[in-house]
Amino acid sequence: MPIETVERFLAALSPHAREHVQRRPREEQERLADAWETELRDDTALDTLSELSPAAAESEAAARVVQGLFD
């Protein structure tokens, strides 16, 4: 996975979530970034948001991906 994908994923996270994810092993960060890309690609509801605000769509997808880490 390209490093840029992980960096884009981390940038889309809230500061608290970003700090939490950065403490995880690199392999897990890559897995989460891959899940984020899949969420962006496959969720049709995010398509509409992405047209209005790409950054908001990326943040929403990132929040969904890491939601389970805080449960």
Side-chain angles (χ1 to χ4, degrees):
M1 165 173 296
I3 291 174
E4 302 84 41
T5 302
V6 174
E7 296 305 318
R8 284 183 44 236
F9 167 64
L10 290 172
L13 292 168
S14 69
H16 174 72
R18 182 179 314 118
E19 183 180 308
H20 189 74
V21 170
Q22 285 176 321
R23 287 193 302 254
R24 300 206 173 251
R26 184 64 183 187
E27 296 80 22
E28 186 170 358
Q29 291 180 32
E30 291 174 359
R31 182 187 60 76
L32 291 167
D34 186 48
W36 173 70
E37 290 245 315
T38 300
E39 184 80 14
L40 282 171
R41 182 183 64 241
D42 294 348
D43 190 318
T44 57
L46 289 175
D47 287 344
T48 303
L49 181 58
S50 181
E51 290 179 15
L52 299 173
S53 174
E58 289 182 353
S59 292
E60 174 64 24
R64 291 177 187 180
V65 167
V66 300
Q67 181 178 6
L69 297 178
F70 299 106
D71 292 339

